Amino acid sequence: MRLLTFRSEDGARLGMLRDEQEVVELSEPPDMLSLIDSGEEGLELVNSAFSAGKGKVHKLGDLRVLAPPPGRNYQAHAEESARASGKTVDPPTVFTKAVTSVAGPYDDVVIDDAVTTQVDWEVELGVVIGRAGANIARERALDHVFGFVVVNDVSARDIQFGWGGQYFKGKSLDGFCPIGPWIVTPDELTDTRSLRLRLRVNGDSKQEGNTRDMIYPVDAVIEWVSKGMTLPAGTIIATGTPDGVGFARTPPEFLKPGDVVEAEVEGIGTLRNRFVSGGK
């Protein structure tokens, strides 16, 4: 299944993608978080309604697609980050992003140059937790997965590195986390350990990677993040980015107003966000 949240004239709605260009509107559950909370029963209900042809059909192009629900983990990226900062490779870093950083898959992202002038990109595979849990054993970790999304972990590097190591602040500016374009359920991805990740800026390739290069695969990430901490249903874990980020290039490269960034994960889809000038 490819499940998405969209806005129509009736407000935010839950839908399922059909034939790449059509969306079937689902009347129940009322939203994505309710569907995630309902577990297998909810997915069976959705699949049954879809198979029976129930639900209003929309053209994908007529809808505004929203974000589906309201640490370094690649060796090459870990090494390029270490070189750029003059340090050795550290163990995996776990950090959070504020919910106010979430943006839709095709939304504009605002750069406020009074706050940051070093805006960077990071394409990542995102894991959506479906069943809450703490201290999840690796061998059971995938049982807790509802689905997968694409994440662009947009980062203000001058804040992240120049304000005393502010990962949370540097990665949590408003709109700095485009997500989507939909949630793909595990049955559609045969092997998350071999997915291509790509990122382009204005059509130029900046990142080319594969999840096979992860230091810690998805099940190990879930085990690590859940140690001593409950992961509620609906939690999104971004699992790290390949090499090719802007700050580690020679010379460094950063996004500017007018740039268009496409972040893609094989088997899931592509985010396309224009970066625009703005401030508050």
Side-chain angles (χ1 to χ4, degrees), residues 23-259:
V23 174
V24 177
E25 184 174 332
L26 302 170
S27 58
E28 292 292 337
D31 54 48
M32 190 68 75
L33 287 179
S34 297
L35 175 57
I36 293 171
D37 285 338
S38 64
E40 289 295 329
E41 182 179 345
L43 287 174
E44 290 174 6
L45 178 65
V46 165
N47 194 47
S48 176
F50 182 80
S51 300
K54 297 179 180 179
K56 184 178 179 181
V57 177
H58 304 269
K59 291 183 179 179
L60 179 61
D62 293 339
L63 304 175
R64 180 187 174 193
V65 181
L66 307 177
R72 293 192 296 273
N73 191 28
Y74 286 75
Q75 186 65 36
H77 175 53
E79 291 170 353
E80 74 173 355
S81 299
R83 286 194 302 271
S85 59
K87 300 177 180 179
T88 58
V89 175
D90 292 326
T93 300
V94 177
F95 55 86
T96 57
K97 288 176 77 86
V99 294
T100 49
S101 69
V102 173
Y106 313 120
D107 288 351
D108 289 346
V109 178
V110 175
I111 297 176
D112 183 350
D113 61 10
V115 178
T116 177
T117 58
Q118 296 184 0
V119 179
D120 205 348
W121 57 81
E122 292 188 16
V123 59
E124 307 198 15
L125 171 67
V127 180
V128 183
I129 297 298
R131 181 157 59 89
N135 300 311
I136 300 169
R138 182 172 179 176
E139 58 269 22
R140 298 195 306 275
L142 297 182
D143 296 338
H144 290 257
V145 174
F146 179 80
F148 301 90
V149 293
V150 185
V151 175
N152 187 357
D153 177 21
V154 181
S155 305
R157 300 300 191 190
D158 40 3
I159 296 175
Q160 179 184 349
F161 300 132
W163 290 19
Q166 298 286 345
Y167 272 77
F168 174 76
K169 182 71 173 179
K171 291 174 174 285
S172 289
L173 300 187
D174 290 352
F176 270 36
C177 191
I179 295 173
W182 27 71
I183 297 176
V184 177
T185 51
D187 57 291
E188 288 212 13
L189 293 176
T190 55
D191 188 2
T192 59
R193 296 170 297 181
S194 184
L195 299 176
R196 291 192 306 273
L197 296 91
R198 298 170 176 166
L199 186 137
R200 298 174 291 275
V201 179
N202 302 324
D204 294 332
S205 179
K206 299 297 183 182
Q207 289 184 281
E208 291 273 352
N210 195 294
T211 55
R212 74 169 67 96
D213 300 322
M214 282 181 166
I215 302 170
Y216 300 99
V218 169
D219 52 359
V221 170
I222 293 172
E223 179 183 51
W224 176 253
V225 176
S226 70
K227 285 182 181 295
M229 183 175 74
T230 299
L231 301 180
T235 297
I236 298 176
I237 302 173
T239 57
T241 196
D243 59 315
V245 297
F247 88 93
R249 291 174 170 265
T250 305
E253 299 177 18
F254 298 108
L255 297 169
K256 59 186 183 303
D259 286 342

